[in-house]
Amino acid sequence: MLRHLAIDSFALVDSLEIEFRDGFTAITGETGAGKSILLDALQFLLGWRGSAELVRTGAERALVQGEFDLSRCPAALEALRAEDLAGEGDALLLRRELRAGGRSRIHVNGHLATKAQLERIGEALVEFHAQGSQQDLASPERQRAALDAFAGAAEAAGEARAAARAWRAARRERARLAAEVEAAQRQRDFLEYQVAELRRAALEPGELGRLEAERRRLANLGQLLRGAQEAHGWLSGDGDSLAAVDLVGRARRLLETLSGHDAALAPLAQQLADAEAQLDDAARTLDSYLADTETDPARFEEVDARISAIRGTLRKHGPTEEDAVAALERLEAELETLETSGDRLRTLEREESARAREWRTAAARLTALRAAAAGPFAEAVLAVLRDLSMPRARLEARLAPAAEEGGDGGAEEIELLFSANPGEEPRPLRRIASGGELSRVMLALRSVAAERDGVGMMVFDEVDAGLSGAASARVGARLAALAKGRQVLCVTHQPAVAALADAHLNVAKLQDEERTVVVMEQLEGAGRTAEIARLLDGGVAGAAGRRLAEELLGSRAAAG
């Protein structure tokens, strides 16, 4: 319920703070006093669209703040938790600011929030039945909720919603995988071609580098052989030339002889001995190189072709052999997934069918509850309407198959058909009822479902418009009964309604030469008696009006 409302620079309100009480609160004031501004501010706070015109002339911004107690509003608590905006315990603090430029800032329990989040919270928190907003009652969702509340079908409706969401989730997953399988099937031939190509390539890391080195060697093989033969000749001797090994050997032997005369030559002789051995080894190695090197033109062509094949493969799957090997593994995994996705798809199809059966079972249970309650529900509403001075009204709760299976609302749409006057066939409520009629139908619906609907707060705007004193007293009694389980606010011009309220707020408009200001006060005692007397006397509170006002308030006190 609403505990405290603070309004600053909003429309004609300069600064206003209001404390609200439990139960039924009547809001009265002279015509044009600004009673609707309170409702406008509350609706703005709960997510309704705001425009720059709501900012009081001369102010930089309008501000509305509200403190709520959610101990009797589990739906609102659930909505807050769903938005991750829950506060401490059952408390809720809403703050909405509107700049003169039109920009709005919203805080929920101290956290910045979006308008969409505020709307979802507001829908769960307060139900408005005001001029222009009572058309919500004509929506299929509202009518369905009213019938379900009367039928005690909240649990069954919740099960149907959960089943519908599970079915949709299974259907989305199956559709996603089916699309993937279809796309993969279209690419199967290409995948298989790529895998075969990579398998034929049989790439190994580093192979391209090794082949390119071999190709360079084969391309220069003639030069290599000629050079190796010439070097071998210099080392080992060729024809009449002296071999390098022989020349070094001669020098070594000479120095060894001379070292007997000068020991300083012995180390040099040893160096030449080592060089002689190395030259001999080099000559033998060159000899083996020349013997082992083949001049096979086919090998050059083979290497060249292999290099071209590897480079072609790497252009598609490279740039390195490692990348191509990884691509082969990935493509093979895709083919394997494609092979197994059919089994997975069949599993998901079975899961979707199971979820569909669960929804149909839950929906059938819900349908049975609704069908059994539709007639008694209509009769109960009509009984209240007769009490609210609509004796010739007709109402039917019609169940029609839903356009599609799997909806959150079950297997049928609920539509209330209404006729206020004899001789007229009942028609959809949204097309036939006037504002006043719709408000009373709404009150009747809420009266029959009040104990089960879970709504924490209701706001009515002139639900008693155009009624006689006796009829308005019955409206007041209905509002007071509704307020036993929730907070009810009602803007009214009827003294009989105002007298039945638990609390009474009066709205007035003060004017001077420069400004107009809307003010509001909580009426008690003599002040409340005077206001009800004013309502009775049409604006002039005479002695007779005061006496009747005292009787009305006394009757309420005695009844309470």
Side-chain angles (χ1 to χ4, degrees), residues 162-175:
R165 291 166 188 166
W167 186 7
R168 285 198 298 272
R171 186 164 55 229
R172 284 194 300 269
E173 181 64 13
R174 190 267 309 155

Side-chain angles (χ1 to χ4, degrees), residues 74-157:
L77 280 171
E78 182 179 346
L80 283 168
R81 295 187 186 107
E83 303 293 342
D84 197 23
L85 293 171
E88 293 291 331
D90 297 327
L92 169 62
L93 177 61
L94 297 181
R95 173 189 171 98
R96 190 173 181 192
E97 179 182 299
L98 179 64
R99 290 282 171 179
R103 298 188 63 182
S104 175
R105 184 183 291 268
I106 298 165
H107 287 83
V108 178
N109 286 325
H111 303 286
L112 276 174
T114 66
K115 182 175 179 293
Q117 288 177 312
L118 184 61
E119 286 175 347
R120 287 190 287 271
I121 294 166
E123 287 173 0
L125 182 61
V126 180
E127 187 175 283
F128 279 94
H129 304 303
Q131 295 297 322
S133 67
Q134 71 266 34
Q135 291 299 326
D136 287 347
L137 177 65
S139 71
E141 293 78 11
R142 288 284 192 186
Q143 296 179 22
R144 183 173 61 233
L147 176 58
D148 286 348
F150 178 83
E155 181 181 350

Side-chain angles (χ1 to χ4, degrees), residues 1 4 13 18 83 90 115 144 212 249 266 308 320 333 360 402:
M1 63 164 289
H4 181 83
V13 174
I18 315 162
E83 303 293 342
D90 297 327
K115 182 175 179 293
R144 183 173 61 233
E212 286 176 335
S308 296
T320 67
R360 292 185 183 110

